Amino acid sequence: MRRRVLWTIALAALTLGLAACSGSDLPQDTFDPAADTAQKQKDILIPVLWVAAAVFIVVEGGIVLIAIKYRHRRGHDRIPAQIHGNTRLEIGWTIAPAVVLAFVMVPTISLIWELAERPPDAMHVSAKGYQWWWGFEYTDPEMAVTYGSNGPIVTANVMVVPLGRTVDISVEAAGGLISGLGPDGEPNPDFAVIHSLWAPRLFGKQDAVPGKPAHIVFTPNETGTFWGQCAEFCGLQHGIMKFRIVVMEPAAFEAWAENQRQPAVAPTDPLAKTGLDLFLNGAGNGSCVACHAVGGTDATSPAGPDLTHFADPSRECFAGCNFANTDVEALKAWLRDPNAVKLGAKMPNYQLSEEEVEALTAYLMSLT
Ligand code: CUA
């Protein structure tokens, strides 16, 4: 009976262990780097794992051996020899871990210094953690938009970068919307919480701590879409505070940037025109422009995601990246009641009528 229980536990553990190796399509795989930073971090991780495995085997093996050797046996009531103090042994187990730690520390600390460097020719993007989404601002002069006050290109939950270009991301915890906007019209910094920017195939975690500017640098060496995830518990939506980094060939990136520099396209379809009117002048019992900006219109609030190019194919997703941009039904459900779609969302339910939902959807889907 006891043997059967032990076998069951062993099999369950083996299954769990093997499940960790399953699947080849893992979008957030630290062991499959697509940028220099992730590669360097993996090159440190692997040897440290081997050292840790060796320490584990020596220590746990010793415990198991001793437990078996000196276990209580019927008829053997004799107490084994009691040893008090062994200078050679004590010096040995003090020096050995110090040597192991030094072996691990030297490459780790030098990589920390290396990753802290900010290459002068990098492209600069500022990543801001809001509740609960990521805003990206392209702060280099050539990435300014052509309208309004010529501010940076701003995207939500997606960052597009050219292949082979070094990107220097300033990571910060932006404000919350608990008590509306702060003095400078941005989400109130007093209500910012800690987030962590993590795109496992490109770079390791970089915490965003309120009031503590930080940065992470990486150079992508593969095109494609790379998933990222907030890696620091930040409240209700933490688990789905996702983002994507899209790496494009330089020419495709320039085309993307050129589109992003332009103001929003004016709608031509009558339903979308009605949507624009509702967007600017109030819909249901609320107002879209209280939180959202659409480039080239009177909507300029930075409190929520910038919607200038909402339906641009590169943006791919909305509402914490839970839905594809092209998912019209999901967008309608979101407009009807954001909290029913994404519990805890800061976007209020404005009690929109079905006509308003249809018109706003038509407008948003026209913003390529
Ligand atoms: Cu933001 Cu977790």
Side-chain angles (χ1 to χ4, degrees):
M1 185 60 207
R2 239 180 89 201
R3 184 161 289 196
R4 197 179 291 177
V5 172
L6 278 176
W7 270 112
T8 312
I9 293 172
L11 266 176
L14 186 69
T15 314
L16 263 179
L18 287 177
C21 314
S22 72
S24 53
D25 182 28
L26 304 170
Q28 301 197 114
D29 186 356
T30 302
F31 297 103
D32 186 15
D36 60 337
T37 302
Q39 181 67 53
K40 286 173 191 164
Q41 288 167 331
K42 181 188 169 190
D43 292 346
I44 291 281
L45 174 64
I46 302 288
V48 170
L49 268 182
W50 281 116
V51 170
V55 170
F56 179 84
I57 288 167
V58 168
V59 173
E60 296 300 316
I63 291 174
V64 170
L65 272 182
I66 288 167
I68 291 172
K69 191 169 177 200
Y70 296 105
R71 74 187 186 281
H72 175 73
R73 268 170 287 194
R74 210 179 295 271
H76 290 251
D77 288 333
R78 192 169 55 84
I79 290 174
Q82 302 296 298
I83 301 161
H84 296 283
N86 183 326
T87 312
R88 240 192 266 171
L89 212 60
E90 283 162 21
I91 291 175
W93 70 47
T94 305
I95 290 177
V99 170
V100 170
L101 282 180
F103 179 77
V104 169
M105 186 187 74
V106 171
T108 308
I109 304 251
S110 34
L111 183 63
I112 289 173
W113 286 113
E114 191 187 328
L115 292 182
E117 275 165 31
R118 311 194 78 163
D121 55 343
M123 185 171 95
H124 295 93
V125 179
S126 157
K128 295 181 171 180
Y130 297 92
Q131 282 169 310
W132 283 274
W133 55 282
W134 291 98
F136 298 103
E137 295 176 11
Y138 292 74
T139 49
D140 291 323
E142 71 270 21
M143 295 298 276
V145 299
T146 58
Y147 54 85
S149 51
N150 303 108
I153 289 173
V154 178
T155 61
N157 295 331
V158 68
M159 184 173 136
V160 180
V161 296
L163 178 69
R165 181 84 195 269
T166 300
V167 185
D168 180 338
I169 315 176
S170 299
V171 183
E172 65 176 283
L177 285 173
I178 295 166
S179 288
L181 298 178
D184 55 356
E186 294 267 343
N188 198 328
D190 293 344
F191 298 100
V193 297
I194 306 178
H195 303 275
S196 185
L197 190 78
W198 187 31
R201 293 195 59 200
L202 301 175
F203 50 82
K205 296 167 187 173
Q206 177 56 61
D207 281 7
V209 180
K212 279 194 85 119
H215 68 275
I216 185 94
V217 176
F218 76 103
T219 311
N221 52 35
E222 216 179 276
T223 56
T225 298
F226 302 95
W227 280 89
Q229 165 73 48
C230 178
E232 180 67 48
F233 181 70
C234 54
L236 214 48
Q237 286 295 308
H238 160 70
I240 42 177
M241 187 169 165
K242 294 174 277 188
F243 62 95
R244 298 178 196 197
I245 295 181
V246 179
V247 181
M248 291 180 176
E249 293 290 347
F253 171 79
E254 195 32 59
W256 172 85
E258 190 45 38
N259 185 43
Q260 296 289 315
R261 288 185 195 106
Q262 306 307 318
V265 288
T268 47
D269 170 67
L271 190 59
K273 276 183 175 167
T274 310
L276 170 61
D277 185 51
L278 290 166
F279 191 91
L280 294 177
N281 302 309
N285 58 20
S287 162
C288 307
V289 295
C291 293
H292 294 289
V294 172
T297 73
D298 291 339
T300 54
S301 173
D306 185 300
L307 302 175
T308 309
H309 299 281
F310 177 84
D312 178 86
S314 74
R315 230 184 89 132
E316 295 188 46
C317 50
F318 72 97
C321 244
N322 289 313
F323 305 99
N325 267 3
T326 49
D327 191 342
V328 178
E329 288 312 311
L331 181 57
K332 288 179 189 170
W334 170 259
L335 290 170
R336 283 184 202 112
D337 185 2
N339 257 268
V341 173
K342 188 178 167 220
L343 184 67
K346 297 287 185 191
M347 177 156 144
N349 179 352
Y350 283 144
Q351 312 291 336
L352 303 176
S353 69
E354 274 310 297
E355 291 74 36
E356 289 174 322
V357 168
E358 292 293 332
L360 284 168
T361 302
Y363 175 55
L364 290 170
M365 296 308 286
S366 76
L367 296 174
T368 51

